[in-house]
Amino acid sequence: MLSGGGRAPAVTPRTPVPPPPRPARGPGAPLRRLRTQARRAWDRPLTAYYLIFGSAFLITLLGLVMVYSASIIRALQLSLPGSYFFRKQLLAAALGTALLLLASRMPVKLHRALAYPMLAGSVVLMALVQVPGIGKAVNGNQNWIELGAFQLQPSEIGKLALVLWGADLLARKQDKRLLNQWKHMLVPLVPVAFMVLGLIMLGGDMGTAIILTAILFGLLWLAGAPTRLFAGVLGAAVVLGAVLIRTSPNRMSRLQCIGASELGGPTDPCWQAVHGIYALASGGLFGSGLGASVEKWGQLPEAHTDFIFAITGEELGLAGTLSVLGLFAALGYAGIRVAGRTEDPFVRYAAGGVTTWIMAQAMINMGAVLGLLPIAGVPLPLFSYGGSALLPTMFAIGLLIAFARDDPAARAALAVRQSVLTGRRTAARGSGTGRASRSWNTMRRRVRTRPSGER
């Protein structure tokens, strides 16, 4: 009984709490759990950042190993030390790493400020290539400038300049809402791109011209060019390319080597293409081992530059070539993710342009080695020997890293990680004091409650 005659307090019924979901069971449960974990990993804010940095680092590192292996015989044939080409590539990689770190720390405004000076400088250098006594021809292409012990290929800088300048131009016009008019979308982007293409084609470098055309189309696609306009520019480029190929016996012979697998003699124009297939075919599943290539003993021209992918297949086998393909696929995915998730028009155009450049060049190089495309004479990005190609490409990778870090979710994740590291150092310095312990425990609880799952 209740004392004082009071009434019993009303009891509010509790809402039943549903039990936590049980882990999936059954034959396909492990696969479903793995798919869920992979999806969560892909959705983390820093996924693109790690993919760009990690894949670029591994491609460059593996490229250094393969340059050393593929260039030893060529260096000895030229009466040079066996590590001659490797040392030059290692120096270029060290300089490129400095450029990558610099570009990754530069603000977006500074990248935009570099667009016009870089374009003007690359145009001047490409014009100097055609000046007698300054320009140098290599393998029939007049596209090099001799600088003492080094050679500079200005067209490689032109790729980066076109990406930055085109992205800045389109971003400015989008801010002013002018891209819905076809004349503002094409002018001056297309005329300037054709001017750069003309300077490159004066030297006969068809491969680099194809890469620049791909960059132009990538920028137009990202800008939302109408299908008719896009098809018209593409049709004009195809017609112009067909005329240039038809009027050059060298280019016609390269086109005829697609799918070639037999040789008619030492003077066969398809010698390089066929021996590239021989190198890949003799590699098997896991290859003959590093340094054990047979084709690099004078049978395969440009073994450490344009056809280094063939030597990779011979020495590392199918596993090695698929690893290279996987790394480029990861880099391409991360670039597309950066371009697709940003709200900044310049970042979207620049990230898309860099991704188009690297992926198109990689596909053209590997397609030529596999006999699926004509030999275009372009190196495999980050992988083939050549500092002129490596330095601008590593700067472009730094651009992607900077853009990936600039994403708001990535900035927040990096800030939390920096706070965790600071808390660890504070806890280590003040271990034994309650103040440091409370600081660390507070930070740990904050990290646990982050909805993104980022650590």
Side-chain angles (χ1 to χ4, degrees), residues 78-311:
L78 297 174
S79 300
L80 297 170
S83 61
Y84 175 78
F85 293 105
F86 169 74
R87 284 181 290 163
K88 293 184 67 175
Q89 186 73 356
L90 183 61
L91 176 61
L95 295 175
T97 301
L99 287 176
L100 183 149
L101 295 176
L102 177 64
S104 66
R105 294 294 180 176
M106 289 169 56
V108 174
K109 290 183 179 180
L110 185 53
H111 286 301
R112 299 186 69 166
L114 288 176
Y116 284 83
M118 188 176 295
L119 179 65
S122 62
V123 168
V124 171
L125 289 175
M126 283 187 282
L128 288 176
V129 168
Q130 307 304 322
V131 177
I134 298 179
K136 181 180 178 181
V138 177
N139 294 331
N141 292 339
Q142 184 83 13
N143 54 2
W144 296 85
I145 294 178
E146 193 78 32
L147 297 175
F150 297 92
Q151 294 179 348
L152 175 66
Q153 189 174 5
S155 58
E156 295 293 336
I157 305 176
K159 299 174 185 177
L160 178 60
L162 181 62
V163 168
L164 288 177
W165 177 79
D168 180 72
L169 175 70
L170 292 175
R172 292 177 187 275
K173 292 199 172 189
Q174 179 171 332
D175 291 338
K176 296 179 181 179
R177 300 182 179 180
L178 297 175
L179 290 182
N180 56 350
Q181 304 177 34
W182 67 268
K183 59 179 180 180
H184 285 287
M185 184 174 292
L186 293 182
V187 180
L189 178 62
V190 174
V192 171
F194 279 7
M195 178 191 67
V196 176
L197 286 170
L199 290 173
I200 293 174
M201 288 307 302
L202 283 176
D205 191 356
M206 187 73 177
T208 303
I210 294 174
I211 304 301
L212 281 173
T213 305
I215 294 173
L216 173 62
F217 287 143
L219 291 174
L220 289 175
W221 181 270
L222 291 169
T227 305
R228 290 181 297 175
L229 183 63
F230 195 84
V233 177
L234 180 61
V238 170
V239 171
L240 180 60
V243 172
L244 292 174
I245 292 174
R246 186 67 180 176
T247 55
S248 173
N250 182 34
R251 299 188 188 112
M252 282 297 298
S253 63
R254 291 186 179 188
L255 190 64
Q256 293 171 358
C257 292
I258 297 178
S261 59
E262 296 181 359
L263 291 174
T267 59
D268 195 309
C270 299
W271 178 274
Q272 186 179 23
V274 173
H275 276 279
I277 297 296
Y278 289 170
L280 291 171
S282 60
L285 188 59
F286 296 106
S288 56
L290 278 174
S293 168
V294 175
E295 291 293 333
K296 68 183 180 185
W297 287 78
Q299 299 296 326
L300 180 62
E302 309 296 338
H304 60 296
T305 55
D306 298 347
F307 269 70
I308 193 171
F309 189 70
I311 302 300

Side-chain angles (χ1 to χ4, degrees), residues 44-56:
R44 288 183 176 181
L46 293 177
T47 296
Y49 172 78
Y50 288 130
L51 278 180
I52 295 169
F53 186 84
S55 58

